[in-house]
Amino acid sequence: MVKRQNSRYTNGNGNYNREELPPRGPVESLIYWRDVKKSGVVFGGGLALLLAMSLFSLISVFSYLSLLLLFGTISFRIYKNVLQAVQKTSEGHPFKEYLDMDLTLSQEKVQQLATVAVAHVNSVLTGLRRLFLVEDLVDSIKFGVLLYWLTYVGAIFNGITCVMIGYVALFTLPKVYENNKQSVDTHIELVRSKIQEITEKVKAAVPLGKKTENEKTK
């Protein structure tokens, strides 16, 4: 059921009016299922690929998919050549549109991607240093609890299974949240406030859990 705050994007039957939806990028459009056919193809294809990788090695999956793609393009090329010979037409190469596409990355684009990647790497390294060197005792303890919980997750699931769960969640949770935003936000706020309350109590009980004024000014 679509919530009231999203009603201006729906018609009388509760279905989305695509022209009234807020602008989103291609990734957001896929995970929010704006176009059911496109999202279904991407979701099904990605899930099938992950399932294949869970059953076979990455090299085997890549090789078989590449062979399947190559067989399809060769067959289509031969079919179009025979068809042109029979009909005596000169349509040219059937993949000319794709062969003429510019796939090269500009220097500006590469620099932009490198800048973003470096910023993320630096942020992660800074965060890990802060946690492992116990800059904030409470944050490091919470990080330790998370790592301990991950040991149980690792004992139950392997890496590819975790990726599959995350992939399914990517195509389901955003849509569920969008359709139940008010209720979900209420529960999240309750959990967040409770965690914040417990954290403040722990920090108050453990002075090392927070920086002193002298440390902050250094």
Side-chain angles (χ1 to χ4, degrees):
M1 180 178 181
V2 180
K3 295 297 180 180
R4 183 178 303 174
Q5 61 268 26
N6 296 326
S7 60
R8 65 191 180 98
Y9 302 125
T10 59
N11 55 29
N13 298 324
N15 298 321
Y16 282 103
N17 290 321
R18 294 178 183 174
E19 64 275 6
E20 296 294 333
L21 289 170
R24 291 183 180 274
V27 176
E28 288 92 341
S29 298
L30 287 174
I31 63 177
Y32 280 95
W33 296 80
R34 301 306 186 211
D35 188 319
V36 177
K37 290 183 179 179
K38 288 183 179 179
S39 296
V41 169
V42 173
F43 175 69
L47 189 59
L49 178 61
L50 291 174
L51 285 172
M53 291 175 61
S54 67
L55 298 175
F56 307 99
S57 68
L58 180 60
I59 296 176
S60 297
V61 173
F62 174 77
S63 300
Y64 280 118
L65 287 178
S66 298
L67 281 173
L68 182 63
L69 177 62
L70 184 60
F71 176 78
T73 53
I74 290 176
S75 300
F76 187 72
R77 174 72 192 278
I78 294 175
Y79 166 75
K80 293 297 290 186
N81 286 349
V82 172
L83 192 63
Q84 291 176 26
V86 172
Q87 297 179 349
K88 301 186 183 305
T89 59
S90 57
E91 296 179 2
H93 200 291
F95 300 116
K96 179 175 175 53
E97 177 184 354
Y98 302 101
L99 289 172
D100 292 338
M101 289 178 62
D102 185 13
L103 299 180
T104 58
L105 289 175
S106 64
Q107 185 176 359
E108 292 77 10
K109 186 64 175 179
V110 172
Q111 290 177 345
Q112 181 183 359
L113 293 174
T115 301
V116 173
V118 169
H120 283 293
V121 170
N122 288 337
S123 177
V124 170
L125 292 177
T126 302
L128 291 176
R129 181 184 63 181
R130 186 180 67 85
L131 292 170
F132 279 108
L133 299 183
V134 199
E135 179 179 327
D136 186 298
L137 181 60
V138 175
D139 287 346
S140 295
I141 291 175
K142 289 191 292 185
F143 182 59
V145 172
L146 174 62
L147 293 177
Y148 184 72
W149 177 75
L150 287 177
T151 62
Y152 285 96
V153 174
I156 299 173
F157 306 108
N158 57 25
I160 190 64
T161 303
C162 292
V163 172
M164 290 173 61
I165 294 174
Y167 183 78
V168 173
L170 179 65
F171 277 84
T172 54
L173 295 184
K175 190 64 177 179
V176 171
Y177 173 73
E178 183 183 55
N179 290 344
N180 302 274
K181 187 176 186 302
Q182 186 175 0
S183 176
V184 173
D185 283 346
T186 300
H187 288 85
I188 289 178
E189 181 59 29
L190 288 174
V191 174
R192 190 197 66 79
S193 60
K194 181 61 67 175
I195 293 176
Q196 184 66 24
E197 179 183 347
I198 295 174
T199 301
E200 292 298 329
K201 288 181 178 180
V202 172
K203 286 186 176 183
V206 184
L208 293 177
K210 53 186 177 182
K211 291 182 178 180
T212 64
E213 293 298 326
N214 292 332
E215 289 176 328
K216 291 180 181 179
T217 56
K218 289 182 180 180

mmCIF file with all atom_site columns, all heavy atoms in Angstrom, residues 112-137:
data_model
loop_
_atom_site.group_PDB
_atom_site.id
_atom_site.type_symbol
_atom_site.label_atom_id
_atom_site.label_alt_id
_atom_site.label_comp_id
_atom_site.label_asym_id
_atom_site.label_entity_id
_atom_site.label_seq_id
_atom_site.pdbx_PDB_ins_code
_atom_site.Cartn_x
_atom_site.Cartn_y
_atom_site.Cartn_z
_atom_site.occupancy
_atom_site.B_iso_or_equiv
_atom_site.pdbx_formal_charge
_atom_site.auth_seq_id
_atom_site.auth_comp_id
_atom_site.auth_asym_id
_atom_site.auth_atom_id
_atom_site.pdbx_PDB_model_num
ATOM 1   N N   . GLN A 1 112 ? 38.447 11.976 -12.464 1.00 0.00 ? 112 GLN A N   1
ATOM 2   C CA  . GLN A 1 112 ? 37.307 12.120 -11.565 1.00 0.00 ? 112 GLN A CA  1
ATOM 3   C C   . GLN A 1 112 ? 37.055 10.841 -10.777 1.00 0.00 ? 112 GLN A C   1
ATOM 4   O O   . GLN A 1 112 ? 36.856 10.867 -9.560  1.00 0.00 ? 112 GLN A O   1
ATOM 5   C CB  . GLN A 1 112 ? 36.059 12.492 -12.358 1.00 0.00 ? 112 GLN A CB  1
ATOM 6   C CG  . GLN A 1 112 ? 34.809 12.684 -11.506 1.00 0.00 ? 112 GLN A CG  1
ATOM 7   C CD  . GLN A 1 112 ? 33.586 12.986 -12.345 1.00 0.00 ? 112 GLN A CD  1
ATOM 8   O OE1 . GLN A 1 112 ? 33.659 13.074 -13.569 1.00 0.00 ? 112 GLN A OE1 1
ATOM 9   N NE2 . GLN A 1 112 ? 32.460 13.144 -11.687 1.00 0.00 ? 112 GLN A NE2 1
ATOM 10  N N   . LEU A 1 113 ? 37.088 9.693  -11.471 1.00 0.00 ? 113 LEU A N   1
ATOM 11  C CA  . LEU A 1 113 ? 36.889 8.411  -10.797 1.00 0.00 ? 113 LEU A CA  1
ATOM 12  C C   . LEU A 1 113 ? 38.009 8.131  -9.802  1.00 0.00 ? 113 LEU A C   1
ATOM 13  O O   . LEU A 1 113 ? 37.763 7.624  -8.698  1.00 0.00 ? 113 LEU A O   1
ATOM 14  C CB  . LEU A 1 113 ? 36.815 7.287  -11.836 1.00 0.00 ? 113 LEU A CB  1
ATOM 15  C CG  . LEU A 1 113 ? 35.598 7.292  -12.771 1.00 0.00 ? 113 LEU A CG  1
ATOM 16  C CD1 . LEU A 1 113 ? 35.737 6.207  -13.829 1.00 0.00 ? 113 LEU A CD1 1
ATOM 17  C CD2 . LEU A 1 113 ? 34.305 7.096  -11.980 1.00 0.00 ? 113 LEU A CD2 1
ATOM 18  N N   . ALA A 1 114 ? 39.250 8.463  -10.200 1.00 0.00 ? 114 ALA A N   1
ATOM 19  C CA  . ALA A 1 114 ? 40.386 8.246  -9.299  1.00 0.00 ? 114 ALA A CA  1
ATOM 20  C C   . ALA A 1 114 ? 40.266 9.116  -8.053  1.00 0.00 ? 114 ALA A C   1
ATOM 21  O O   . ALA A 1 114 ? 40.562 8.665  -6.941  1.00 0.00 ? 114 ALA A O   1
ATOM 22  C CB  . ALA A 1 114 ? 41.692 8.538  -10.035 1.00 0.00 ? 114 ALA A CB  1
ATOM 23  N N   . THR A 1 115 ? 39.821 10.348 -8.222  1.00 0.00 ? 115 THR A N   1
ATOM 24  C CA  . THR A 1 115 ? 39.657 11.248 -7.078  1.00 0.00 ? 115 THR A CA  1
ATOM 25  C C   . THR A 1 115 ? 38.620 10.717 -6.103  1.00 0.00 ? 115 THR A C   1
ATOM 26  O O   . THR A 1 115 ? 38.823 10.711 -4.881  1.00 0.00 ? 115 THR A O   1
ATOM 27  C CB  . THR A 1 115 ? 39.247 12.652 -7.561  1.00 0.00 ? 115 THR A CB  1
ATOM 28  O OG1 . THR A 1 115 ? 40.247 13.160 -8.442  1.00 0.00 ? 115 THR A OG1 1
ATOM 29  C CG2 . THR A 1 115 ? 39.087 13.602 -6.379  1.00 0.00 ? 115 THR A CG2 1
ATOM 30  N N   . VAL A 1 116 ? 37.502 10.240 -6.644  1.00 0.00 ? 116 VAL A N   1
ATOM 31  C CA  . VAL A 1 116 ? 36.448 9.682  -5.786  1.00 0.00 ? 116 VAL A CA  1
ATOM 32  C C   . VAL A 1 116 ? 36.943 8.433  -5.075  1.00 0.00 ? 116 VAL A C   1
ATOM 33  O O   . VAL A 1 116 ? 36.705 8.245  -3.875  1.00 0.00 ? 116 VAL A O   1
ATOM 34  C CB  . VAL A 1 116 ? 35.192 9.374  -6.628  1.00 0.00 ? 116 VAL A CB  1
ATOM 35  C CG1 . VAL A 1 116 ? 34.154 8.641  -5.783  1.00 0.00 ? 116 VAL A CG1 1
ATOM 36  C CG2 . VAL A 1 116 ? 34.591 10.660 -7.186  1.00 0.00 ? 116 VAL A CG2 1
ATOM 37  N N   . ALA A 1 117 ? 37.658 7.553  -5.807  1.00 0.00 ? 117 ALA A N   1
ATOM 38  C CA  . ALA A 1 117 ? 38.164 6.322  -5.213  1.00 0.00 ? 117 ALA A CA  1
ATOM 39  C C   . ALA A 1 117 ? 39.159 6.606  -4.098  1.00 0.00 ? 117 ALA A C   1
ATOM 40  O O   . ALA A 1 117 ? 39.109 5.997  -3.017  1.00 0.00 ? 117 ALA A O   1
ATOM 41  C CB  . ALA A 1 117 ? 38.803 5.443  -6.291  1.00 0.00 ? 117 ALA A CB  1
ATOM 42  N N   . VAL A 1 118 ? 40.077 7.554  -4.349  1.00 0.00 ? 118 VAL A N   1
ATOM 43  C CA  . VAL A 1 118 ? 41.075 7.905  -3.331  1.00 0.00 ? 118 VAL A CA  1
ATOM 44  C C   . VAL A 1 118 ? 40.399 8.481  -2.087  1.00 0.00 ? 118 VAL A C   1
ATOM 45  O O   . VAL A 1 118 ? 40.790 8.171  -0.957  1.00 0.00 ? 118 VAL A O   1
ATOM 46  C CB  . VAL A 1 118 ? 42.095 8.908  -3.913  1.00 0.00 ? 118 VAL A CB  1
ATOM 47  C CG1 . VAL A 1 118 ? 42.971 9.494  -2.810  1.00 0.00 ? 118 VAL A CG1 1
ATOM 48  C CG2 . VAL A 1 118 ? 42.966 8.223  -4.955  1.00 0.00 ? 118 VAL A CG2 1
ATOM 49  N N   . ALA A 1 119 ? 39.379 9.311  -2.287  1.00 0.00 ? 119 ALA A N   1
ATOM 50  C CA  . ALA A 1 119 ? 38.663 9.899  -1.151  1.00 0.00 ? 119 ALA A CA  1
ATOM 51  C C   . ALA A 1 119 ? 38.008 8.812  -0.296  1.00 0.00 ? 119 ALA A C   1
ATOM 52  O O   . ALA A 1 119 ? 38.072 8.855  0.939   1.00 0.00 ? 119 ALA A O   1
ATOM 53  C CB  . ALA A 1 119 ? 37.617 10.891 -1.648  1.00 0.00 ? 119 ALA A CB  1
ATOM 54  N N   . HIS A 1 120 ? 37.405 7.811  -0.948  1.00 0.00 ? 120 HIS A N   1
ATOM 55  C CA  . HIS A 1 120 ? 36.765 6.720  -0.208  1.00 0.00 ? 120 HIS A CA  1
ATOM 56  C C   . HIS A 1 120 ? 37.807 5.871  0.521   1.00 0.00 ? 120 HIS A C   1
ATOM 57  O O   . HIS A 1 120 ? 37.592 5.469  1.673   1.00 0.00 ? 120 HIS A O   1
ATOM 58  C CB  . HIS A 1 120 ? 35.944 5.851  -1.152  1.00 0.00 ? 120 HIS A CB  1
ATOM 59  C CG  . HIS A 1 120 ? 34.632 6.452  -1.546  1.00 0.00 ? 120 HIS A CG  1
ATOM 60  N ND1 . HIS A 1 120 ? 33.604 6.656  -0.660  1.00 0.00 ? 120 HIS A ND1 1
ATOM 61  C CD2 . HIS A 1 120 ? 34.185 6.914  -2.739  1.00 0.00 ? 120 HIS A CD2 1
ATOM 62  C CE1 . HIS A 1 120 ? 32.578 7.202  -1.279  1.00 0.00 ? 120 HIS A CE1 1
ATOM 63  N NE2 . HIS A 1 120 ? 32.901 7.368  -2.547  1.00 0.00 ? 120 HIS A NE2 1
ATOM 64  N N   . VAL A 1 121 ? 38.923 5.577  -0.146  1.00 0.00 ? 121 VAL A N   1
ATOM 65  C CA  . VAL A 1 121 ? 39.976 4.777  0.486   1.00 0.00 ? 121 VAL A CA  1
ATOM 66  C C   . VAL A 1 121 ? 40.539 5.491  1.709   1.00 0.00 ? 121 VAL A C   1
ATOM 67  O O   . VAL A 1 121 ? 40.722 4.895  2.776   1.00 0.00 ? 121 VAL A O   1
ATOM 68  C CB  . VAL A 1 121 ? 41.090 4.457  -0.525  1.00 0.00 ? 121 VAL A CB  1
ATOM 69  C CG1 . VAL A 1 121 ? 42.291 3.834  0.184   1.00 0.00 ? 121 VAL A CG1 1
ATOM 70  C CG2 . VAL A 1 121 ? 40.578 3.513  -1.607  1.00 0.00 ? 121 VAL A CG2 1
ATOM 71  N N   . ASN A 1 122 ? 40.802 6.777  1.571   1.00 0.00 ? 122 ASN A N   1
ATOM 72  C CA  . ASN A 1 122 ? 41.330 7.550  2.697   1.00 0.00 ? 122 ASN A CA  1
ATOM 73  C C   . ASN A 1 122 ? 40.345 7.591  3.857   1.00 0.00 ? 122 ASN A C   1
ATOM 74  O O   . ASN A 1 122 ? 40.732 7.501  5.020   1.00 0.00 ? 122 ASN A O   1
ATOM 75  C CB  . ASN A 1 122 ? 41.658 8.977  2.248   1.00 0.00 ? 122 ASN A CB  1
ATOM 76  C CG  . ASN A 1 122 ? 42.881 9.030  1.355   1.00 0.00 ? 122 ASN A CG  1
ATOM 77  O OD1 . ASN A 1 122 ? 43.727 8.135  1.387   1.00 0.00 ? 122 ASN A OD1 1
ATOM 78  N ND2 . ASN A 1 122 ? 42.978 10.067 0.540   1.00 0.00 ? 122 ASN A ND2 1
ATOM 79  N N   . SER A 1 123 ? 39.075 7.714  3.536   1.00 0.00 ? 123 SER A N   1
ATOM 80  C CA  . SER A 1 123 ? 38.054 7.743  4.581   1.00 0.00 ? 123 SER A CA  1
ATOM 81  C C   . SER A 1 123 ? 37.989 6.416  5.333   1.00 0.00 ? 123 SER A C   1
ATOM 82  O O   . SER A 1 123 ? 37.903 6.384  6.561   1.00 0.00 ? 123 SER A O   1
ATOM 83  C CB  . SER A 1 123 ? 36.690 8.062  3.963   1.00 0.00 ? 123 SER A CB  1
ATOM 84  O OG  . SER A 1 123 ? 35.671 8.036  4.935   1.00 0.00 ? 123 SER A OG  1
ATOM 85  N N   . VAL A 1 124 ? 38.062 5.307  4.567   1.00 0.00 ? 124 VAL A N   1
ATOM 86  C CA  . VAL A 1 124 ? 38.025 3.982  5.201   1.00 0.00 ? 124 VAL A CA  1
ATOM 87  C C   . VAL A 1 124 ? 39.254 3.766  6.075   1.00 0.00 ? 124 VAL A C   1
ATOM 88  O O   . VAL A 1 124 ? 39.151 3.280  7.211   1.00 0.00 ? 124 VAL A O   1
ATOM 89  C CB  . VAL A 1 124 ? 37.918 2.886  4.122   1.00 0.00 ? 124 VAL A CB  1
ATOM 90  C CG1 . VAL A 1 124 ? 38.118 1.507  4.745   1.00 0.00 ? 124 VAL A CG1 1
ATOM 91  C CG2 . VAL A 1 124 ? 36.564 2.948  3.433   1.00 0.00 ? 124 VAL A CG2 1
ATOM 92  N N   . LEU A 1 125 ? 40.432 4.116  5.561   1.00 0.00 ? 125 LEU A N   1
ATOM 93  C CA  . LEU A 1 125 ? 41.664 3.929  6.332   1.00 0.00 ? 125 LEU A CA  1
ATOM 94  C C   . LEU A 1 125 ? 41.652 4.764  7.609   1.00 0.00 ? 125 LEU A C   1
ATOM 95  O O   . LEU A 1 125 ? 42.072 4.295  8.675   1.00 0.00 ? 125 LEU A O   1
ATOM 96  C CB  . LEU A 1 125 ? 42.878 4.290  5.471   1.00 0.00 ? 125 LEU A CB  1
ATOM 97  C CG  . LEU A 1 125 ? 43.181 3.357  4.294   1.00 0.00 ? 125 LEU A CG  1
ATOM 98  C CD1 . LEU A 1 125 ? 44.362 3.882  3.485   1.00 0.00 ? 125 LEU A CD1 1
ATOM 99  C CD2 . LEU A 1 125 ? 43.458 1.940  4.787   1.00 0.00 ? 125 LEU A CD2 1
ATOM 100 N N   . THR A 1 126 ? 41.166 5.992  7.514   1.00 0.00 ? 126 THR A N   1
ATOM 101 C CA  . THR A 1 126 ? 41.088 6.851  8.696   1.00 0.00 ? 126 THR A CA  1
ATOM 102 C C   . THR A 1 126 ? 40.127 6.278  9.735   1.00 0.00 ? 126 THR A C   1
ATOM 103 O O   . THR A 1 126 ? 40.420 6.265  10.934  1.00 0.00 ? 126 THR A O   1
ATOM 104 C CB  . THR A 1 126 ? 40.635 8.264  8.295   1.00 0.00 ? 126 THR A CB  1
ATOM 105 O OG1 . THR A 1 126 ? 41.553 8.807  7.344   1.00 0.00 ? 126 THR A OG1 1
ATOM 106 C CG2 . THR A 1 126 ? 40.580 9.182  9.499   1.00 0.00 ? 126 THR A CG2 1
ATOM 107 N N   . GLY A 1 127 ? 38.992 5.769  9.248   1.00 0.00 ? 127 GLY A N   1
ATOM 108 C CA  . GLY A 1 127 ? 38.023 5.175  10.164  1.00 0.00 ? 127 GLY A CA  1
ATOM 109 C C   . GLY A 1 127 ? 38.550 3.925  10.844  1.00 0.00 ? 127 GLY A C   1
ATOM 110 O O   . GLY A 1 127 ? 38.360 3.730  12.049  1.00 0.00 ? 127 GLY A O   1
ATOM 111 N N   . LEU A 1 128 ? 39.237 3.064  10.072  1.00 0.00 ? 128 LEU A N   1
ATOM 112 C CA  . LEU A 1 128 ? 39.804 1.851  10.660  1.00 0.00 ? 128 LEU A CA  1
ATOM 113 C C   . LEU A 1 128 ? 40.896 2.171  11.676  1.00 0.00 ? 128 LEU A C   1
ATOM 114 O O   . LEU A 1 128 ? 40.993 1.523  12.728  1.00 0.00 ? 128 LEU A O   1
ATOM 115 C CB  . LEU A 1 128 ? 40.357 0.948  9.555   1.00 0.00 ? 128 LEU A CB  1
ATOM 116 C CG  . LEU A 1 128 ? 39.322 0.301  8.617   1.00 0.00 ? 128 LEU A CG  1
ATOM 117 C CD1 . LEU A 1 128 ? 40.020 -0.472 7.513   1.00 0.00 ? 128 LEU A CD1 1
ATOM 118 C CD2 . LEU A 1 128 ? 38.385 -0.619 9.411   1.00 0.00 ? 128 LEU A CD2 1
ATOM 119 N N   . ARG A 1 129 ? 41.726 3.143  11.367  1.00 0.00 ? 129 ARG A N   1
ATOM 120 C CA  . ARG A 1 129 ? 42.758 3.547  12.326  1.00 0.00 ? 129 ARG A CA  1
ATOM 121 C C   . ARG A 1 129 ? 42.135 4.044  13.621  1.00 0.00 ? 129 ARG A C   1
ATOM 122 O O   . ARG A 1 129 ? 42.594 3.700  14.720  1.00 0.00 ? 129 ARG A O   1
ATOM 123 C CB  . ARG A 1 129 ? 43.638 4.642  11.709  1.00 0.00 ? 129 ARG A CB  1
ATOM 124 C CG  . ARG A 1 129 ? 44.757 5.117  12.633  1.00 0.00 ? 129 ARG A CG  1
ATOM 125 C CD  . ARG A 1 129 ? 45.536 6.257  12.021  1.00 0.00 ? 129 ARG A CD  1
ATOM 126 N NE  . ARG A 1 129 ? 44.689 7.439  11.824  1.00 0.00 ? 129 ARG A NE  1
ATOM 127 C CZ  . ARG A 1 129 ? 45.128 8.579  11.288  1.00 0.00 ? 129 ARG A CZ  1
ATOM 128 N NH1 . ARG A 1 129 ? 46.382 8.672  10.866  1.00 0.00 ? 129 ARG A NH1 1
ATOM 129 N NH2 . ARG A 1 129 ? 44.307 9.599  11.144  1.00 0.00 ? 129 ARG A NH2 1
ATOM 130 N N   . ARG A 1 130 ? 41.073 4.825  13.493  1.00 0.00 ? 130 ARG A N   1
ATOM 131 C CA  . ARG A 1 130 ? 40.404 5.353  14.680  1.00 0.00 ? 130 ARG A CA  1
ATOM 132 C C   . ARG A 1 130 ? 39.801 4.236  15.532  1.00 0.00 ? 130 ARG A C   1
ATOM 133 O O   . ARG A 1 130 ? 39.848 4.279  16.766  1.00 0.00 ? 130 ARG A O   1
ATOM 134 C CB  . ARG A 1 130 ? 39.301 6.321  14.249  1.00 0.00 ? 130 ARG A CB  1
ATOM 135 C CG  . ARG A 1 130 ? 38.610 7.058  15.376  1.00 0.00 ? 130 ARG A CG  1
ATOM 136 C CD  . ARG A 1 130 ? 37.543 7.976  14.835  1.00 0.00 ? 130 ARG A CD  1
ATOM 137 N NE  . ARG A 1 130 ? 36.450 7.216  14.254  1.00 0.00 ? 130 ARG A NE  1
ATOM 138 C CZ  . ARG A 1 130 ? 35.428 6.737  14.970  1.00 0.00 ? 130 ARG A CZ  1
ATOM 139 N NH1 . ARG A 1 130 ? 35.394 6.922  16.282  1.00 0.00 ? 130 ARG A NH1 1
ATOM 140 N NH2 . ARG A 1 130 ? 34.466 6.060  14.389  1.00 0.00 ? 130 ARG A NH2 1
ATOM 141 N N   . LEU A 1 131 ? 39.260 3.212  14.859  1.00 0.00 ? 131 LEU A N   1
ATOM 142 C CA  . LEU A 1 131 ? 38.633 2.116  15.594  1.00 0.00 ? 131 LEU A CA  1
ATOM 143 C C   . LEU A 1 131 ? 39.662 1.179  16.215  1.00 0.00 ? 131 LEU A C   1
ATOM 144 O O   . LEU A 1 131 ? 39.551 0.811  17.388  1.00 0.00 ? 131 LEU A O   1
ATOM 145 C CB  . LEU A 1 131 ? 37.711 1.340  14.655  1.00 0.00 ? 131 LEU A CB  1
ATOM 146 C CG  . LEU A 1 131 ? 36.456 2.087  14.178  1.00 0.00 ? 131 LEU A CG  1
ATOM 147 C CD1 . LEU A 1 131 ? 35.763 1.324  13.074  1.00 0.00 ? 131 LEU A CD1 1
ATOM 148 C CD2 . LEU A 1 131 ? 35.499 2.323  15.336  1.00 0.00 ? 131 LEU A CD2 1
ATOM 149 N N   . PHE A 1 132 ? 40.683 0.785  15.444  1.00 0.00 ? 132 PHE A N   1
ATOM 150 C CA  . PHE A 1 132 ? 41.658 -0.178 15.957  1.00 0.00 ? 132 PHE A CA  1
ATOM 151 C C   . PHE A 1 132 ? 42.588 0.434  17.004  1.00 0.00 ? 132 PHE A C   1
ATOM 152 O O   . PHE A 1 132 ? 43.063 -0.282 17.888  1.00 0.00 ? 132 PHE A O   1
ATOM 153 C CB  . PHE A 1 132 ? 42.486 -0.750 14.796  1.00 0.00 ? 132 PHE A CB  1
ATOM 154 C CG  . PHE A 1 132 ? 41.788 -1.857 14.052  1.00 0.00 ? 132 PHE A CG  1
ATOM 155 C CD1 . PHE A 1 132 ? 41.282 -1.647 12.778  1.00 0.00 ? 132 PHE A CD1 1
ATOM 156 C CD2 . PHE A 1 132 ? 41.630 -3.112 14.623  1.00 0.00 ? 132 PHE A CD2 1
ATOM 157 C CE1 . PHE A 1 132 ? 40.642 -2.663 12.092  1.00 0.00 ? 132 PHE A CE1 1
ATOM 158 C CE2 . PHE A 1 132 ? 40.985 -4.134 13.942  1.00 0.00 ? 132 PHE A CE2 1
ATOM 159 C CZ  . PHE A 1 132 ? 40.485 -3.904 12.672  1.00 0.00 ? 132 PHE A CZ  1
ATOM 160 N N   . LEU A 1 133 ? 42.836 1.724  16.925  1.00 0.00 ? 133 LEU A N   1
ATOM 161 C CA  . LEU A 1 133 ? 43.697 2.376  17.910  1.00 0.00 ? 133 LEU A CA  1
ATOM 162 C C   . LEU A 1 133 ? 42.888 3.015  19.043  1.00 0.00 ? 133 LEU A C   1
ATOM 163 O O   . LEU A 1 133 ? 43.424 3.781  19.843  1.00 0.00 ? 133 LEU A O   1
ATOM 164 C CB  . LEU A 1 133 ? 44.578 3.426  17.225  1.00 0.00 ? 133 LEU A CB  1
ATOM 165 C CG  . LEU A 1 133 ? 45.529 2.873  16.164  1.00 0.00 ? 133 LEU A CG  1
ATOM 166 C CD1 . LEU A 1 133 ? 46.416 3.977  15.601  1.00 0.00 ? 133 LEU A CD1 1
ATOM 167 C CD2 . LEU A 1 133 ? 46.388 1.735  16.729  1.00 0.00 ? 133 LEU A CD2 1
ATOM 168 N N   . VAL A 1 134 ? 41.605 2.693  19.103  1.00 0.00 ? 134 VAL A N   1
ATOM 169 C CA  . VAL A 1 134 ? 40.721 3.047  20.228  1.00 0.00 ? 134 VAL A CA  1
ATOM 170 C C   . VAL A 1 134 ? 40.752 4.554  20.513  1.00 0.00 ? 134 VAL A C   1
ATOM 171 O O   . VAL A 1 134 ? 41.005 4.997  21.623  1.00 0.00 ? 134 VAL A O   1
ATOM 172 C CB  . VAL A 1 134 ? 41.090 2.248  21.501  1.00 0.00 ? 134 VAL A CB  1
ATOM 173 C CG1 . VAL A 1 134 ? 39.925 2.260  22.490  1.00 0.00 ? 134 VAL A CG1 1
ATOM 174 C CG2 . VAL A 1 134 ? 41.474 0.825  21.169  1.00 0.00 ? 134 VAL A CG2 1
ATOM 175 N N   . GLU A 1 135 ? 40.480 5.333  19.490  1.00 0.00 ? 135 GLU A N   1
ATOM 176 C CA  . GLU A 1 135 ? 40.326 6.767  19.714  1.00 0.00 ? 135 GLU A CA  1
ATOM 177 C C   . GLU A 1 135 ? 39.108 7.038  20.580  1.00 0.00 ? 135 GLU A C   1
ATOM 178 O O   . GLU A 1 135 ? 39.122 7.902  21.440  1.00 0.00 ? 135 GLU A O   1
ATOM 179 C CB  . GLU A 1 135 ? 40.187 7.498  18.367  1.00 0.00 ? 135 GLU A CB  1
ATOM 180 C CG  . GLU A 1 135 ? 40.001 8.996  18.499  1.00 0.00 ? 135 GLU A CG  1
ATOM 181 C CD  . GLU A 1 135 ? 39.897 9.673  17.154  1.00 0.00 ? 135 GLU A CD  1
ATOM 182 O OE1 . GLU A 1 135 ? 40.533 9.224  16.192  1.00 0.00 ? 135 GLU A OE1 1
ATOM 183 O OE2 . GLU A 1 135 ? 39.159 10.659 17.066  1.00 0.00 ? 135 GLU A OE2 1
ATOM 184 N N   . ASP A 1 136 ? 38.025 6.281  20.324  1.00 0.00 ? 136 ASP A N   1
ATOM 185 C CA  . ASP A 1 136 ? 36.827 6.349  21.154  1.00 0.00 ? 136 ASP A CA  1
ATOM 186 C C   . ASP A 1 136 ? 36.526 4.933  21.620  1.00 0.00 ? 136 ASP A C   1
ATOM 187 O O   . ASP A 1 136 ? 36.274 4.044  20.812  1.00 0.00 ? 136 ASP A O   1
ATOM 188 C CB  . ASP A 1 136 ? 35.652 6.925  20.355  1.00 0.00 ? 136 ASP A CB  1
ATOM 189 C CG  . ASP A 1 136 ? 34.421 7.156  21.212  1.00 0.00 ? 136 ASP A CG  1
ATOM 190 O OD1 . ASP A 1 136 ? 33.880 6.178  21.758  1.00 0.00 ? 136 ASP A OD1 1
ATOM 191 O OD2 . ASP A 1 136 ? 33.999 8.331  21.339  1.00 0.00 ? 136 ASP A OD2 1
ATOM 192 N N   . LEU A 1 137 ? 36.578 4.713  22.929  1.00 0.00 ? 137 LEU A N   1
ATOM 193 C CA  . LEU A 1 137 ? 36.444 3.362  23.481  1.00 0.00 ? 137 LEU A CA  1
ATOM 194 C C   . LEU A 1 137 ? 35.119 2.723  23.117  1.00 0.00 ? 137 LEU A C   1
ATOM 195 O O   . LEU A 1 137 ? 35.057 1.551  22.735  1.00 0.00 ? 137 LEU A O   1
ATOM 196 C CB  . LEU A 1 137 ? 36.615 3.405  25.004  1.00 0.00 ? 137 LEU A CB  1
ATOM 197 C CG  . LEU A 1 137 ? 36.517 2.050  25.724  1.00 0.00 ? 137 LEU A CG  1
ATOM 198 C CD1 . LEU A 1 137 ? 37.576 1.090  25.219  1.00 0.00 ? 137 LEU A CD1 1
ATOM 199 C CD2 . LEU A 1 137 ? 36.636 2.243  27.231  1.00 0.00 ? 137 LEU A CD2 1
#
